[in-house]
Amino acid sequence: LDVADIVHTELLADLNKDMVEIYSTQYRKPVALSRKLRTLHKQMLAEKAKAKQATELGVAELDLPGAPAPTIPDAPSVLVDDWSLDLPELAPINRRVSNRKSRSRSKASGSTKFQLRRSVHGSKAQKKELRPLHWNKISDKVVDKTAFAMAAPQVDLFEQLLEGTDEIDNLFANSARPTSDPMIHKVKSAGVLETKRQMNFEIMLSMFPDELQSIFDAIENLDPFKKRLSDDQVQILDNQPLSNEEMKLAFQFSGGDEEFKELSHGEQFAILVARNAGFPMMVKATAVLRSYRETVTELEEDARVLRRAVREIKSSESLRRFIAVVLSVGNFLNEGTRKGDAQGFRLEALPKLADIRSKDKNLSLLHYIIQVAKQKDARAIDFVQEFVNLKPAMRKSKEDLGGAVNILEKDIETTRNVVEQILSQAGQSLDSLEARAPTTKDPEPTAAGLLFVNAESTAAKASTAVKDAIGDFEDLAGFLGENSKRTKIDDMFGVLLSFCKLVERCIGELEERSAASSSKKKKSRS
């Protein structure tokens, strides 16, 4: 039955769209009933029960605006949960009618009114707002063919059990929502930060339990002993810089102390940053001294893997023997053409050897070259097992490695300027510091200087290692006949890696054919 067959159209238009489907054993169809209508009826029954203090609750009629109130004789009562719907005798409906059509039919007749009654035992207070379960509903058109249709009686039983207890209400009731956003604790704004940025800064500052000024005090000497700021806190500050426009607006704030205190923490922080021009550079320097080891370790590992891959290829005797066979066979095939009499070829031609098939389609040119190479020198195909660093060396491009080195060098230079300024205020200089680890006995400026000396030395070694590895790769590219400056790491190594896989596959196919041929010969002899 459609909802408009139960509830009058004028009331339905004002109801919540969240509908509850109740299974009707009388008509074997789902009956749609508004949850808001059920709540209103519960309240009405509770009020009448208190007023009359009756021991037996009769039929409670729900007046629907604009509709007459005739009683419907001999209407069958369908009990679902503890609700009873007094419905007229209707033939079973084969399909659900849309709400729009049903409303039109109700308005035309002007006589649709039904009585709802609830049994005495089910009278309860208004239902609490519960936490929703987010799921995707199955369409009404297909649900009759699923296990859910067969489980409808059990669903009704469980609903009756849930209606008789407050346990689920108490367990899964929604918490009261605050009337205002707790993250913006002040109502006034200086117009320095937009609402979204203000929220971002409030979230960031929630990681700092102390007063805002303590952040600036901690960063003053770069906190070399990590006593006041953790690594995560420093990283958060470094990842949330103010834009030039925000710095300009914050610098223009001219309010007094009382007006400043009424601003949100986010705008207070922005104004303090604008008043301390060196703060962003100090944050960057502190972050560099905390994280340079990880950056250096990653760069050194990338450089190490790249140099290993270059060394494997450049020192491979089997690869040189194999490309010699390829060059000989290629010149034989191209004899008399403009592609013949070649002294070398580009690496991109290697995977194409598998695309050239014999007349009977049983062999490729790569199969044939492998056979010739093995006959001439069995070690000519060993290179497929030698290149173990090709794949990991493809992780980083020359651009990635070079960019990482440039960023590290720029950060080290920024840190040097900050450290020199801090040491100058303390009457010291970097040149006067020896290369050693700081101790707790050292003053903070001295400790920061010692940390920087170690960071600068370590970063310089990593930068040199990466640049040398890139230089070795460019030499290898020229050694293999490629453009040393334009050739990319992933392009050249990708071609070699895919070619090695093709060679391995062809070797396996040739071995299978050889084994099958030997077996056939043995059978023929026997």
Side-chain angles (χ1 to χ4, degrees):
L1 295 178
D2 195 84
V3 64
D5 293 326
I6 302 174
V7 185
H8 191 269
T9 305
E10 294 182 9
L11 180 59
L12 177 66
D14 191 40
L15 294 179
N16 195 321
K17 294 182 180 180
D18 187 11
M19 308 303 293
V20 180
E21 287 193 350
I22 304 176
Y23 189 76
S24 169
T25 56
Q26 175 74 17
Y27 295 102
R28 302 295 178 183
K29 290 289 180 180
V31 178
L33 189 64
S34 166
R35 179 180 285 118
K36 185 173 181 180
L37 182 59
R38 294 179 63 179
T39 302
L40 292 173
H41 191 233
K42 289 179 183 180
Q43 293 174 347
M44 182 179 295
L45 290 178
E47 291 173 0
K48 287 189 177 183
K50 290 180 180 179
K52 296 181 180 181
Q53 295 182 352
T55 57
E56 181 176 357
L57 182 65
V59 176
E61 294 191 357
L62 180 62
D63 256 345
L64 304 178
T71 57
I72 302 174
D74 301 325
S77 177
V78 180
L79 181 62
V80 182
D81 189 4
D82 54 351
W83 281 85
S84 294
L85 308 181
D86 289 331
L87 305 176
E89 288 289 353
L90 297 174
I93 298 176
N94 293 327
R95 63 183 180 86
R96 293 174 65 92
V97 185
S98 68
N99 288 346
R100 186 177 300 174
K101 292 181 180 180
S102 300
R103 286 196 289 269
S104 300
R105 185 172 65 251
S106 299
K107 288 183 178 179
S109 63
S111 61
T112 305
K113 181 173 181 180
F114 295 91
Q115 293 176 331
L116 304 178
R117 73 170 180 268
R118 190 175 185 185
S119 56
V120 181
H121 70 273
S123 183
K124 289 202 321 180
Q126 184 175 1
K127 185 176 181 180
K128 297 179 182 179
E129 183 182 355
L130 302 179
R131 296 182 181 180
L133 170 60
H134 298 286
W135 58 18
N136 295 321
K137 294 168 58 177
I138 298 177
S139 172
D140 295 343
K141 297 179 181 180
V142 300
V143 74
D144 289 341
K145 300 178 182 179
T146 67
F148 296 100
M150 299 177 64
Q154 286 81 1
V155 173
D156 293 340
L157 176 60
F158 286 126
E159 286 182 354
Q160 292 179 27
L161 294 175
L162 292 176
E163 286 288 345
T165 178
D166 292 333
E167 182 180 13
I168 192 169
D169 288 349
N170 297 330
L171 287 174
F172 300 101
N174 258 338
S175 302
R177 296 182 180 179
T179 56
S180 61
D181 198 324
M183 299 307 298
I184 307 298
H185 68 286
K186 302 293 184 182
V187 294
K188 290 191 176 181
S189 172
V192 175
L193 301 174
E194 296 180 353
T195 304
K196 186 175 180 180
R197 287 282 288 166
Q198 206 170 150
M199 286 288 295
N200 291 341
F201 275 96
E202 290 286 345
I203 294 172
M204 178 194 77
L205 293 173
S206 66
M207 301 288 293
F208 300 87
D210 298 331
E211 296 293 330
L212 291 179
Q213 188 59 44
S214 65
I215 301 175
F216 295 85
D217 295 340
I219 216 75
E220 184 178 6
N221 289 321
L222 309 186
D223 192 21
F225 299 116
K226 304 182 183 181
K227 291 181 178 180
R228 287 172 282 186
L229 294 176
S230 67
D231 292 347
D232 290 339
Q233 289 175 327
V234 173
Q235 195 64 45
I236 289 171
L237 290 173
D238 187 42
N239 291 339
Q240 191 82 315
L242 289 171
S243 66
N244 292 333
E245 182 65 22
E246 290 169 343
M247 288 284 286
K248 181 180 178 181
L249 292 173
F251 188 77
Q252 292 174 352
F253 176 77
S254 58
D257 291 342
E258 292 300 323
E259 187 177 350
F260 176 80
K261 292 178 181 178
E262 293 177 349
L263 301 177
S264 68
H265 278 164
E267 289 197 327
Q268 288 181 10
F269 178 76
I271 293 170
L272 290 175
V273 170
R275 292 175 180 176
N276 294 268
F279 180 78
M281 293 183 63
M282 289 183 177
V283 171
K284 172 59 68 176
T286 305
V288 170
L289 293 180
R290 300 284 183 96
S291 63
Y292 79 91
R293 290 185 180 86
E294 296 178 5
T295 304
V296 165
T297 301
E298 184 177 352
L299 286 175
E300 288 178 341
E301 178 61 21
D302 290 337
R304 192 177 301 112
V305 171
L306 179 58
R307 299 189 77 172
R308 286 173 182 170
V310 169
R311 193 180 305 115
E312 288 170 358
I313 297 170
K314 201 167 186 178
S315 62
S316 176
E317 290 287 341
S318 63
L319 178 63
R320 289 197 288 271
R321 292 190 183 99
F322 191 86
I323 61 176
V325 177
V326 174
L327 186 61
S328 300
V329 173
N331 278 328
F332 187 85
L333 293 176
N334 294 329
E335 186 177 1
T337 68
R338 63 184 181 88
K339 293 183 180 294
D341 197 23
Q343 302 302 309
F345 58 89
R346 302 290 295 273
L347 293 179
E348 62 185 14
L350 290 175
K352 298 178 182 179
L353 298 175
D355 298 333
I356 303 175
R357 310 296 297 185
S358 61
K359 290 171 58 176
D360 58 5
K361 308 297 181 181
N362 289 330
L363 288 177
S364 68
L365 183 59
L366 183 56
H367 287 98
Y368 175 76
I369 291 175
I370 291 173
Q371 288 178 331
V372 172
K374 290 179 70 175
Q375 291 174 1
K376 184 178 180 181
D377 187 350
R379 296 174 297 174
I381 58 174
D382 289 348
F383 65 91
V384 296
Q385 305 297 332
E386 295 173 353
F387 300 161
V388 295
N389 284 290
L390 273 183
K391 190 173 182 178
M394 292 170 57
R395 292 182 306 179
K396 297 290 182 68
S397 63
K398 287 195 296 184
E399 293 76 14
D400 292 337
L401 292 172
V405 168
N406 291 337
I407 291 174
L408 178 61
E409 291 176 345
K410 182 179 178 180
D411 289 344
I412 290 294
E413 184 63 26
T414 300
T415 307
R416 165 179 275 275
N417 294 333
V418 173
V419 171
E420 284 180 341
Q421 184 178 358
I422 293 174
L423 289 174
S424 176
Q425 294 174 355
Q428 295 178 289
S429 66
L430 280 174
D431 296 335
S432 64
L433 297 179
E434 58 186 71
R436 64 175 178 84
T439 65
T440 55
K441 296 181 179 181
D442 293 317
E444 283 194 342
T446 303
L450 293 173
L451 283 176
F452 172 75
V453 170
N454 294 332
E456 186 179 42
S457 174
T458 307
K461 292 179 182 178
S463 298
T464 301
V466 171
K467 292 176 181 178
D468 290 345
I470 293 176
D472 290 347
F473 171 79
E474 291 177 349
D475 291 344
L476 174 66
F479 178 72
L480 295 176
E482 305 293 317
N483 187 306
S484 60
K485 296 297 181 182
R486 295 181 181 178
T487 302
K488 297 181 178 180
I489 295 175
D490 53 346
D491 287 346
M492 191 174 81
F493 285 177
V495 169
L496 290 174
L497 184 62
S498 62
F499 178 65
C500 289
K501 292 180 179 179
L502 286 174
V503 171
E504 286 182 328
R505 190 187 71 185
C506 290
I507 291 173
E509 292 173 353
L510 289 172
E511 290 176 351
E512 289 178 359
R513 292 179 184 181
S514 176
S517 177
S518 299
S519 177
K520 188 175 181 180
K521 289 180 180 179
K522 289 181 180 179
K523 289 182 179 180
S524 62
R525 290 174 183 175
S526 61

